[in-house]
Amino acid sequence: MKTSLLQKARAQYQPKLPKGLQGAVKVKEGAATQSVGDQDEIKKLFPNTYGMPIIEFVPGEEYAAREMNVGIILSGGQAPGGHNVICGIFDAVKRQNANNKVYGFLMGPGGLVDHDYIELTSDYVDKYRNTGGFDMIGSGRTKLEKEEQFEKGLEIIRELGIKAVVIIGGDDSNTNACVLAEYYAAKNYGIQVIGCPKTIDGDLKNAQIETSFGFDTATKVYAELIGNIERDANSARKYWHFVKLMGRSASHIALECALQTQPNICLVSEEIEKEDMTLNQIVEQIATAVAQRAEAGNNFGVVLVPEGLIEFIPAIGRLIDELNDLLAAHGSDYKDLDKDAQHAYILAHLSKENADTFATLPEDVARQLSLDRDPHGNVQVSLIETEKLLSNMVGAKLDEWKKEGKYKGSFASQHHFFGYEGRCAAPSNFDADYCYALGVSAANLIANGKTGYMAIVQNLSAPAEDWKAGGVPITMMMNMERRNGEMKPVIRKALVELDGAPFKKFAEKRDEWARETCFVYPGPIQYWGPSEVCDRETRTLALENEAKK
Amino acid sequence: MKTSLLQKARAQYQPKLPKGLQGAVKVKEGAATQSVGDQDEIKKLFPNTYGMPIIEFVPGEEYAAREMNVGIILSGGQAPGGHNVICGIFDAVKRQNANNKVYGFLMGPGGLVDHDYIELTSDYVDKYRNTGGFDMIGSGRTKLEKEEQFEKGLEIIRELGIKAVVIIGGDDSNTNACVLAEYYAAKNYGIQVIGCPKTIDGDLKNAQIETSFGFDTATKVYAELIGNIERDANSARKYWHFVKLMGRSASHIALECALQTQPNICLVSEEIEKEDMTLNQIVEQIATAVAQRAEAGNNFGVVLVPEGLIEFIPAIGRLIDELNDLLAAHGSDYKDLDKDAQHAYILAHLSKENADTFATLPEDVARQLSLDRDPHGNVQVSLIETEKLLSNMVGAKLDEWKKEGKYKGSFASQHHFFGYEGRCAAPSNFDADYCYALGVSAANLIANGKTGYMAIVQNLSAPAEDWKAGGVPITMMMNMERRNGEMKPVIRKALVELDGAPFKKFAEKRDEWARETCFVYPGPIQYWGPSEVCDRETRTLALENEAKK
């Protein structure tokens, strides 16, 4: 394996640890907890892991070494810092007892079920310190939710003498971690399960979790690129750049990037849904900003578009829902029709409102909505090139306005989609430190016999030594939600809060950003420079923590 | 103007200067020069600026301050470091005499012709030190080639008491700088013209110019992103990523990125042309690598595609040439036909060979070739989404092979195009130093009464203080080439040399890179870390300089 010069130098970085985790660790327990909603149901579903106290780790006395083999699983999409969580667990587990073994289950939760694993050795782990990616043990999207999977996993857990499994994942994976913890507890198997909050999307966040890991690094990579593109737009002065950003349903990534780079426009799906905006209204809003800038001679700009936008436009959301049902019910008689006949078929079978919406869509988007379904029968929204859709529609709108004499500028566009560029970037100092601390916390939760907990680190706007590490019962973050037609206990997904500090800051500034050219160019992530450049947290985290004071 | 924290910290960076430019400067002249080709014609066309010696700047004695107002023009596409060239000129001109004035002509060569300019002040210049972009004075693509433009420019030059104009641009802009220098010299106007070698594409390179500025930073940004995507591919293990890279005709950017990141496949247009490969052969070559990796269970990989690929596929190049002529001749009767009729029209009017090629193209590519023409009547090759074209055709080929039982893997692809992300990045230490030195060199060429020279800095693989700064007569780099049907004196464009060290290194390794997973993850540009991380030159430059020894 040839490593880059940066990677070699970066391997030497020793992540900063909070005071509470630097030496011997003592558990400080808080009061009993409640779930955020549906307390009775959650309590009934999780009798063994409900109501446990929040835990904080504080400096303590050295205690006798504890024997604990640990198995680790990476679940779902990549996020920068995952390797450092593993390094933190590894170091803390070996520190408990050098004979302890740490196993990595390969390619996600499937590795546990299929008994596919490696033992992590010191040499192997050292190659991955402070690196991006999940290639150390791979990741996967197998859902751990059935008893037969739990029992199959137990076989290899027993065989390897594993005391605890750490699942590093997003909201769904941590929900499943909790179900697994409860199952093993109910069966008295003596196997602990601990979760870790991972996702670049930033939607695993609540009163206990200030941010999920990876959000910091990924948004900094995207902000670097958006800043570079803004500078290009401002130099060439002839293009509008439409930039779509990963982030699934939530607009946290787009909003954070906007706060970092001050583009002319940033769409926020959650606001569009709340305001019940139509696609046409969104297009008019962008076109208005383009026309306004054109009057000042500025025929250029940058627009950020969150990946999940389309489903949040209420009229299109309703259309997609009906289309999913329609195509599920009429799949095969429909499939054999030609393009035009399919289009006619859909128009004929939709309700009046949805047929009207469908008829207004550009041809290729209508086609995409009527064609591609994922394995669950849902439209693959991420395949819709929203950035092109919007710029085409804005262009058409401006042509209209030009004919009416309302617009005199020129409009040319460029398109970008950023996602894969940031998911596996080498972690920023923030994520490198945060993840390592999460890993050490997870190991200490295990050493103290905890199960059904998620490792957490709080007070993240302070210097790392003042961070507070600990654990929170996963049940505390749960409520009941409808999933595939059934009520299920799940961790509540955090969308952008329109009365939250980050959105309010953005809303206060955006008119000026649209009109003027207020671009900010953050540049690439730095590892060795001045602390204010290298160690700064995201604007989202800073504003949210500021508002809590 | 709000500046980022990185930008604030980076503003303090003092570019390193070669010894020869650190204090008072003396001119060391070499022997008389010849043009690289067509000496008689070039000499005849440039009687006043032909045959001048190469110049090197060495430490000298302080001399009396020289009065020299200077005008600066940024020409063509953005390249990181342009602002530092201007800063270098500014500092050196002011050092000659604090009363000297420096003017920036706005939005490219058009600013000279239209008398659109600003005076650069110390406060203004300081805001742009070590920043990316060309937004300091803007850039543009107006070609300076007509006498009336030269005379119109002279008016403002006289009005502002300008002694010399510096044109910072690519091969065409420097050719025009030389024509302008010759014109002003022939007319005895006493106005000097100096060029500077700018372009991220890396195709302005020859025995005197080791590399054009911007290539270093841009390729490092692209390599950062490609490395991140490689790590993602290697973590998720389910996608082939097809990455198209800017760079116009030449494949220098793709090749440099390949040397930095070791992807599975990198296409090199110059090789494809030389080997007379068809589109189908390229597709089969990629599909073969995909199938080979699939046998080892690796259904993922990364393919780099140079932007200019399509025109270099000889069969398609010939087709494009005939299409350009055909559509130029039959524009309007053709334009009113519908899609299918246009397709039929083209097939009917093309020669047999080209009609055959046209018939094999995917529908959307055929459509693109038969539709979009740039203002000069040429097909806009950069609009063809080569990365999607190739992955679609590879997918189709693999489907065939699957039916024949020759392939058993799974193939899913993702697409990326990187260009605007790197053109305006903040310059690397290398480009910040190199550009600043180029600017100081340009000012010294002016102070010493030179015209028709390009500022150069050589020995770029050594530490900056050992670099050799000077100037080379632009005529020395010229030969006669056919442009728009006429023979013209131009600077020879540098394509990738198949017997050059960078390509040979790549060719030696690529089979292993295709088969195995040898990805290297360079990470983002660093400004403050260990020197081997922060100050390293491109692999292309290192290999070329190594080979010269």
Side-chain angles (χ1 to χ4, degrees), chain B residues 436-478:
Chain B
Y436 190 78
L438 282 173
V440 175
S441 269
N444 278 290
L445 287 167
I446 297 167
N448 287 284
K450 304 298 172 188
T451 191
Y453 274 79
M454 198 186 300
I456 54 164
V457 181
Q458 299 177 326
N459 199 31
L460 294 168
S461 291
E465 60 164 16
D466 297 329
W467 291 354
K468 292 185 190 313
V472 58
I474 301 179
T475 51
M476 187 185 180
M477 299 181 276
M478 285 187 162

Side-chain angles (χ1 to χ4, degrees), chain B residues 140-393:
Chain B
R141 296 188 186 273
T142 303
K143 283 186 191 303
L144 283 184
E145 47 189 6
K146 295 188 194 120
E147 283 192 23
E148 64 193 64
Q149 293 173 312
F150 303 165
E151 290 292 338
K152 195 88 184 105
L154 185 71
E155 292 171 14
I156 189 71
I157 286 172
R158 291 283 189 230
E159 190 182 319
L160 298 173
I162 285 175
K163 179 178 163 69
V165 175
V166 182
I167 297 178
I168 302 167
D171 52 343
D172 283 343
S173 303
N174 276 288
T175 294
N176 294 339
C178 194
V179 173
L180 184 63
E182 176 63 31
Y183 180 85
Y184 285 165
K187 294 271 183 182
N188 265 316
Y189 288 161
I191 308 299
Q192 300 159 239
V193 183
I194 300 294
C196 273
K198 171 230 71 169
T199 170
I200 63 163
D201 303 335
D203 57 4
L204 176 49
K205 179 165 76 169
N206 51 44
Q208 282 70 46
I209 302 171
E210 295 184 9
T211 187
S212 55
F213 79 76
F215 179 70
D216 185 89
T217 306
T219 53
K220 281 173 180 164
V221 173
Y222 305 143
E224 172 200 355
L225 301 181
I226 294 163
N228 288 356
I229 285 169
E230 285 180 341
R231 192 130 214 176
D232 206 277
N234 195 19
S235 298
R237 306 177 75 84
K238 63 181 176 184
Y239 290 122
W240 274 85
H241 292 265
F242 285 71
V243 183
K244 187 170 75 170
L245 293 162
M246 252 191 197
R248 298 209 170 209
S249 301
S251 305
H252 297 292
I253 288 182
L255 179 58
E256 171 63 26
C257 290
L259 291 168
Q260 286 190 38
T261 63
Q262 305 190 173
N264 303 101
I265 295 167
C266 172
L267 302 175
V268 175
S269 304
E270 291 84 345
E271 183 186 30
I272 283 161
E273 181 174 50
K274 174 159 178 271
E275 302 293 333
D276 199 6
M277 289 176 76
T278 64
L279 186 54
N280 186 51
Q281 283 171 319
I282 298 168
V283 167
E284 286 203 348
Q285 186 186 306
I286 301 172
T288 302
V290 172
Q292 193 182 26
R293 285 178 62 80
E295 277 183 27
N298 296 321
N299 289 301
F300 65 93
V302 172
V303 182
L304 304 189
V305 183
E307 175 182 48
L309 180 74
I310 282 288
E311 348 169 38
F312 277 77
I313 300 171
I316 296 187
R318 289 189 292 271
L319 167 65
I320 289 174
D321 285 346
E322 194 179 349
L323 275 174
N324 284 344
D325 292 346
L326 180 67
L327 298 191
H330 299 268
S332 51
D333 60 324
Y334 166 84
K335 228 187 233 166
D336 300 331
L337 301 175
D338 71 14
K339 270 190 206 182
D340 294 338
Q342 285 188 338
H343 197 267
Y345 179 98
I346 285 175
L347 281 175
H349 286 75
L350 285 176
S351 65
K352 166 100 179 63
E353 187 214 341
N354 288 334
D356 289 350
T357 305
F358 190 76
T360 64
L361 293 176
E363 190 186 334
D364 52 338
V365 176
R367 184 88 197 124
Q368 195 111 41
L369 289 183
S370 48
L371 206 58
D372 300 286
R373 289 293 178 276
D374 73 10
H376 308 287
N378 295 315
V379 62
Q380 290 187 272
V381 178
S382 68
L383 291 180
I384 298 175
E385 295 182 301
T386 332
E387 68 283 20
K388 290 190 187 165
L389 164 68
L390 287 173
S391 85
N392 286 343
M393 292 182 77

Side-chain angles (χ1 to χ4, degrees), chain A residues 4-5 78 132 134-135 224 228 231-232 235 385 388 414 416 420-421 423 521 525-527, chain B residues 4-5 78 132 134-135 224 228 231-232 235 385 388 414 416 420-421 423 521 525-527 536:
Chain A
S4 70
L5 293 169
Q78 284 77 255
F134 276 8
D135 44 311
E224 172 200 356
N228 288 356
R231 192 131 214 174
D232 206 277
S235 298
E385 296 182 301
K388 289 190 187 167
Q414 296 287 344
H416 313 266
Y420 298 99
E421 292 78 358
R423 304 196 317 176
Y521 318 120
I525 291 175
Q526 295 296 303
Y527 299 109
Chain B
S4 69
L5 293 169
Q78 283 76 254
F134 276 8
D135 44 310
E224 172 200 355
N228 288 356
R231 192 130 214 176
D232 206 277
S235 298
E385 295 182 301
K388 290 190 187 165
Q414 296 286 345
H416 314 265
Y420 298 99
E421 292 79 358
R423 304 197 316 176
Y521 318 121
I525 291 175
Q526 296 296 302
Y527 299 109
R536 197 191 199 206

Side-chain angles (χ1 to χ4, degrees), chain A residues 351-368:
Chain A
S351 66
K352 166 99 178 64
E353 185 214 342
N354 288 335
D356 288 350
T357 306
F358 190 76
T360 64
L361 292 176
E363 189 187 334
D364 52 337
V365 176
R367 184 87 198 125
Q368 195 110 40

Side-chain angles (χ1 to χ4, degrees), chain A residues 392-441:
Chain A
N392 286 343
M393 292 181 76
V394 167
K397 180 68 68 184
L398 290 168
D399 284 346
E400 271 177 40
W401 289 357
K402 191 165 257 178
K403 279 179 201 145
E404 297 165 17
K406 294 194 324 211
Y407 165 71
K408 290 181 190 67
S410 67
F411 177 75
S413 59
Q414 296 287 344
H415 308 99
H416 313 266
F417 170 43
F418 298 134
Y420 298 99
E421 292 78 358
R423 304 196 317 176
C424 285
S428 61
N429 284 355
F430 177 90
D431 270 328
D433 295 347
Y434 178 41
C435 289
Y436 190 79
L438 282 173
V440 175
S441 269

